[in-house]
Amino acid sequence: MTEVAPTPEAPPDPSRVRTRWDWRDYALLAFVLAIAGWVRLTHIDSGLSFDELWHLASTTGIGDAMSRYRHDIVYPDAVSLTNLAHKQGLWKIWTGMDGILHPPLFLVALRLWREVFGSSDFVAHSFSIVCSLVSIGFIFASARLAMNRAAASFAGLTCAFAMTQVYFAQEVRAYAMMIALASVALWLMTRIELLGATRRCAIALAALTLPLMLTHYFAIGGCLAIGIYGFAYAKPFRKPFVLSGLASATIYVAIWLPFAIQQLDDLGTGDAFLKADQGPMHVILLAAGVPFRLLVERDYQFEKTPLFSAVIFVLPWFLNRRLAALRPWAIWLCASVLPILALDLARTTVHTAFIRYLAVATPAVPLLFVGVVFATGQRKLAYGFGAALAFVGAIYLYSGARVLLDADDLTEIRRIIEPRFRKGDAIVTCSGRLPAFYCDAMTLTITHSDTVFPAPLAVITRPMSKQLVEQLGTRSVWLISGELEVPVEELIPGARVVYSYPATPFVLVRHLVLDPSEDSSPSTRPELPH
């Protein structure tokens, strides 16, 4: 017999919930997933950002890719940092996370995915796309359970065309995987709300906190929602829920906490760029716009974020008697945003400005937007509202706008060098007047190229000595840099610029020829700033 226990506030009546799917449900889900897959595949960007390349490099087991090639040293046979041909053992990912402010599950999963399907850029993108489709499937299932197949279709299509979700789905980072796990958890909460708690659902819900926290630290909001809802509304099976949660926490501490502690040294500097004391109201307004920004996001300026999305935090609590599933969805949204908001208010940071940090809230957003209107009894209006959200997302998506770019796109560097590079050429990178971060970013970008590497490589922060130039072992050098503090011929003694190619407004690629007859000792020249 199925273990079902009603809650005293709103006794669930499983007989009124249509749990059995027919061919129309499967057909609609297949249609929604086909549309979502087509959008994600046909609008995928061929390039990879620095953060994506960093994740790819980390899957090889080398640890922090930014520290792989030390500065002011010539590596005569440098290799691609992202190619699995140079991989280390899978356990090296787990144990080599020093200096990396992320848990390891996504990197391990992506490594296994690349091992099975190949190490191309498309394969790397496809992992996030599959995770995104999984999340849409569970959002559809939650809406189907709480409302009907039409509402489920519109909730699914909203995610399919939401430009923010398309971005997450195409990015080689952990956010799509975190959203997929969050969608499974919210589906379980929806089942408990509508069908009553069962031992199996309670245990599975609590157990999901383990993979969530091993995927991203900012999944903490979703784990908070699971804890609140499970403890308060899975009462008949509170004991197995708590035991499952404690087991997940114990496993997490045993297998990851020692490595997480090693990351604490970088915690203070890891979010230094987010330090901005712009006042609590600025942060609150950013948080208020989260529901809409998870669907459509063009920039980080809260003044341009429609504040009407903030009503989604409030209305579900007044309408949950009309649609019971609004309660777990509202708990998920509020609990997901609250920890990040509290973090910003306590530390005067602006994590809320970057919608990726709130990605765990995603599955609740389309459900609440459609569910709130559905709960008013205006079903046609709910369908129209869902269709409008999908349409708005499609318009923004097809407008060609780039979204959520927190770092410069440096892929043009590879496009310039690859067709012109000849065997025996050397690569030199230098940040120049740009922040030191760019030196490592430019190095990682070019070392992603299998057509260029292996090749001689030097990452420099000061003018090269004549001996260092000789170690390059070639007369043909490609210099990738920002604006330089000193002329090229002083930075690299004996260098003569053959041609310059602008890669970005801030980065220039120069093809140099070295004249060994030139003797330019840099001993008296000032060092470039780090």
Side-chain angles (χ1 to χ4, degrees):
M1 179 180 296
T2 304
E3 300 176 78
V4 177
T7 59
E9 297 88 349
D13 184 1
S15 64
R16 299 184 61 183
V17 181
R18 295 183 59 188
T19 58
R20 186 182 297 276
W21 284 31
D22 58 28
W23 67 270
R24 289 170 293 183
D25 297 302
Y26 292 108
L28 282 173
L29 176 58
F31 172 74
V32 170
L33 293 180
I35 292 293
W38 175 77
V39 169
R40 283 148 178 77
L41 288 171
T42 57
H43 288 81
I44 199 165
D45 190 346
S46 58
L48 290 169
S49 68
F50 165 75
D51 290 301
E52 292 174 291
L53 291 173
W54 179 89
H55 279 81
L56 284 185
S58 298
T59 64
T60 66
I62 65 172
D64 185 2
M66 294 181 69
S67 61
R68 175 62 177 82
Y69 290 122
R70 291 182 293 168
H71 297 169
D72 303 306
I73 296 175
V74 172
Y75 292 86
D77 294 303
V79 297
S80 170
L81 295 178
T82 58
N83 194 321
L84 286 183
H86 313 293
K87 67 185 178 183
Q88 299 187 38
L90 189 64
W91 66 91
K92 289 286 188 178
I93 298 175
W94 199 281
T95 60
M97 302 286 285
D98 295 3
I100 299 176
L101 293 176
H102 293 283
L105 187 57
F106 171 75
L107 296 177
V108 172
L110 180 58
R111 163 69 173 270
L112 295 173
W113 183 269
R114 298 179 76 199
E115 293 269 18
V116 173
F117 297 105
S119 57
S120 70
D121 291 355
F122 175 78
V123 168
H125 283 297
S126 67
F127 180 71
S128 293
I129 291 175
V130 169
C131 288
S132 179
L133 296 181
V134 169
S135 66
I136 291 174
F138 277 97
I139 289 171
F140 180 98
S142 298
R144 170 67 181 81
L145 190 64
M147 295 175 280
N148 57 33
R149 67 174 65 94
S153 300
F154 287 117
L157 286 173
T158 298
C159 281
F161 284 109
M163 67 183 306
T164 308
Q165 298 309 310
V166 173
Y167 181 83
F168 289 147
Q170 294 176 336
E171 196 178 32
V172 187
R173 298 175 76 176
Y175 301 107
M177 182 175 173
M178 178 172 64
I179 293 170
L181 291 169
S183 300
V184 177
L186 195 56
W187 173 73
L188 286 172
M189 289 166 60
T190 305
R191 287 186 62 86
I192 291 173
E193 185 71 30
L194 298 177
L195 303 176
T198 66
R199 186 182 305 275
R200 185 163 38 186
C201 281
I203 292 174
L205 180 62
L208 275 170
T209 56
L210 177 60
L212 274 168
M213 285 305 297
L214 284 174
T215 299
H216 202 287
Y217 291 129
F218 282 156
I220 184 66
C223 295
L224 178 63
I226 290 173
I228 292 172
Y229 185 83
F231 193 80
Y233 300 108
K235 292 180 181 178
F237 302 102
R238 181 181 290 170
K239 183 176 180 180
F241 174 82
V242 172
L243 290 176
S244 178
L246 289 175
S248 298
T250 302
I251 295 171
Y252 183 84
V253 168
I255 66 177
W256 180 242
L257 185 61
F259 303 102
I261 291 175
Q262 297 175 11
Q263 298 178 347
L264 291 178
D265 292 339
D266 299 292
L267 185 60
T269 58
D271 65 351
F273 73 101
L274 292 167
K275 290 286 186 179
D277 189 6
Q278 299 182 2
M281 184 54 65
H282 177 85
V283 176
I284 291 172
L285 288 172
L286 283 170
V290 164
F292 190 80
R293 292 167 57 208
L294 282 169
L295 300 178
V296 179
E297 168 80 331
R298 276 179 175 262
D299 51 45
Y300 306 133
Q301 299 180 22
F302 74 92
E303 295 91 346
K304 298 181 180 179
T305 300
L307 294 181
F308 76 83
S309 71
V311 302
I312 295 300
F313 287 100
V314 180
L315 284 182
W317 302 103
F318 296 96
L319 297 172
N320 69 297
R321 291 184 178 275
R322 299 186 180 185
L323 185 64
L326 288 176
R327 178 163 57 187
W329 301 345
I331 289 174
W332 188 275
L333 177 63
C334 294
S336 297
V337 175
L338 181 61
I340 312 302
L341 175 61
L343 178 69
D344 280 346
L345 293 175
R347 300 186 69 243
T348 61
T349 52
V350 284
H351 290 83
T352 43
F354 295 84
I355 195 60
R356 67 179 188 271
Y357 294 142
L358 287 305
V360 74
T362 292
V365 172
L367 293 171
L368 285 171
F369 271 123
V370 176
V372 162
V373 184
F374 191 92
T376 64
Q378 304 297 320
R379 295 192 176 188
K380 292 183 178 179
L381 181 60
Y383 306 152
F385 192 70
L389 285 174
F391 178 75
V392 169
I395 291 298
Y396 276 94
L397 177 66
Y398 286 87
S399 69
R402 298 295 301 274
V403 297
L404 302 168
L405 295 178
D406 6 295
D408 291 305
D409 184 1
L410 302 175
T411 54
E412 190 62 26
I413 292 173
R414 287 175 52 211
R415 297 191 182 106
I416 291 171
I417 294 180
E418 283 182 334
R420 299 171 175 87
F421 193 86
R422 297 295 179 264
K423 185 175 178 59
D425 291 1
I427 300 289
V428 175
T429 61
C430 176
S431 57
R433 296 180 184 272
L434 293 174
F437 156 81
Y438 279 88
C439 205
D440 299 303
M442 292 184 291
T443 303
L444 183 56
T445 298
I446 190 58
T447 59
H448 180 56
S449 174
D450 292 325
T451 62
V452 172
F453 286 84
L457 170 70
V459 183
I460 62 174
T461 59
R462 59 178 64 89
M464 299 178 70
S465 67
K466 185 178 180 181
Q467 292 73 24
L468 209 59
V469 174
E470 290 174 349
Q471 291 176 26
L472 291 173
T474 182
R475 296 185 65 246
S476 178
V477 175
W478 292 88
L479 173 63
I480 309 167
S481 72
E483 182 184 355
L484 297 175
E485 291 274 1
V486 297
V488 172
E489 58 272 15
E490 294 185 19
L491 181 70
I492 304 177
R496 176 170 56 86
V497 179
V498 177
Y499 203 84
S500 298
Y501 306 86
T504 76
F506 312 105
V507 176
L508 198 65
V509 176
R510 298 176 178 89
H511 186 199
L512 313 179
V513 173
L514 302 182
D515 186 351
S517 65
E518 292 287 338
D519 185 6
S520 303
S521 173
S523 58
T524 61
R525 300 190 184 97
E527 294 183 357
L528 297 182
H530 286 249

